[in-house]
């Protein structure tokens, strides 16, 4: 079938610069620097129109604007997009609780998709909160809301904490 091709251009910076800087900063200092644009944002943020809005100990807020390029074959934004947003805020909320020298990675995430996201949904707000920080495991929860404050998705997750 001959349908018109649509394109978009993504620009990003070397992701290893920020990853290296993270090793010599507390997690909160790193997230504050990301919010204030003092470190190069990881490429996934550009790919997903995602940005870090605020960070405090145990809590982060991100914003993103999905578009048609994020669609699945059933005419809505792919569930993996919303899951990735939630994985990001759960991870970054956990990072804010970590001292310098501690790293983390996601172990598992459970997402509930409450409302579909469409190309005209507009900006989404994602909030991640640490339910319980830990020396070895952290537990976090998150939610995504649309611009009218309607709940779009929720998640809970577990993260592994380890020395860099
Ligand atoms: C439909 C349901 C699952 C259940 O809804 P119900 O139990 O009936 O609850 P309720 O009546 O309270 O409605 C609540 C809200 O639900 C929406 N809505 C409901 N019915 C329709 C409808 N007929 N048409 C359109 N929208 C409908 C509507 O916004 C409504 O809000 P409102 O009250 O108007 O403000 C809903 O929770 C939902 O859409 N979740 C998101 C799922 C999702 O996006 N998953 C990820 C994408 S899948 C993927 O990517 C995987 C894949 C990959 C590759 C290839 C293939 C697949």
């Amino acid at each position: 079938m001959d349908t018109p091709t649509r394109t978009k251009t993504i620009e990003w910076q070397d992701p290893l610069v920020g990853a290296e800087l993270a090793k010599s900063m507390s997690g909160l200092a790193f997230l504050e620097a990301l919010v204030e644009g003092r470190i190069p944002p990881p490429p996934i943020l550009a790919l997903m129109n995602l940005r870090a809005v605020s960070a405090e100990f145990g809590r982060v807020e991100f914003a993103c604007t999905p578009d048609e390029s994020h669609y699945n074959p059933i005419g809505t934004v792919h569930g993996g997009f919303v899951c990735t947003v939630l994985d990001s805020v759960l991870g970054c909320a956990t990072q804010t609780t970590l001292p310098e020298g501690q790293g983390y990675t996601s172990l598992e995430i459970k997402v509930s998709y409450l409302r579909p996201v469409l190309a005209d949904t507009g900006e989404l707000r994602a909030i991640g909160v640490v339910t319980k920080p830990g020396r070895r495991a952290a537990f976090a929860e998150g939610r995504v809301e649309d611009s009218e404050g309607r709940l779009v998705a929720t998640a809970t997750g577990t993260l592994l904490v380890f020395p860099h």
Side-chain angles (χ1 to χ4, degrees):
M1 203 168 155
D2 194 18
T3 56
T5 299
R6 298 164 186 172
T7 64
K8 75 173 182 182
T9 304
I10 312 278
E11 293 182 349
W12 70 91
Q13 298 164 54
D14 183 347
L16 299 185
V17 172
E20 200 53 39
L21 278 171
K23 293 180 184 168
S24 58
M25 301 169 81
S26 73
L28 182 56
F30 180 82
L31 263 299
E32 286 171 343
L34 187 65
V35 168
E36 291 162 15
R38 289 186 276 111
I39 53 169
I44 190 75
L45 297 196
L47 186 65
M48 298 185 52
N49 289 335
L50 185 60
R51 65 190 164 87
V53 174
S54 68
E56 61 192 77
F57 187 89
R59 185 185 189 279
V60 297
E61 185 176 327
F62 279 32
C64 69
T65 310
D67 63 40
E68 190 189 65
S69 72
H70 303 125
Y71 264 43
N72 58 30
I74 56 173
T76 63
V77 168
H78 199 292
F81 180 96
V82 173
C83 180
T84 302
V85 171
L86 284 161
D87 196 21
S88 303
V89 295
L90 265 52
C92 290
T94 297
Q95 192 172 0
T96 65
T97 68
L98 302 181
E100 179 185 334
Q102 291 285 300
Y104 71 97
T105 195
S106 318
L107 290 182
E108 58 87 27
I109 187 167
K110 158 74 171 70
V111 178
S112 297
Y113 298 101
L114 309 180
R115 284 195 157 79
V117 178
L118 303 174
D120 63 3
T121 295
E123 188 168 80
L124 299 176
R125 181 170 172 256
I127 295 129
V129 177
V130 175
T131 317
K132 187 201 167 294
R135 278 168 297 150
R136 287 167 295 179
F139 301 87
E141 57 193 40
R143 65 181 192 275
V144 175
E145 297 171 0
D146 67 16
S147 56
E148 291 170 28
R150 299 188 308 174
L151 207 49
V152 165
T154 58
T156 55
T158 313
L159 298 101
L160 179 69
V161 176
F162 53 83
H164 273 307

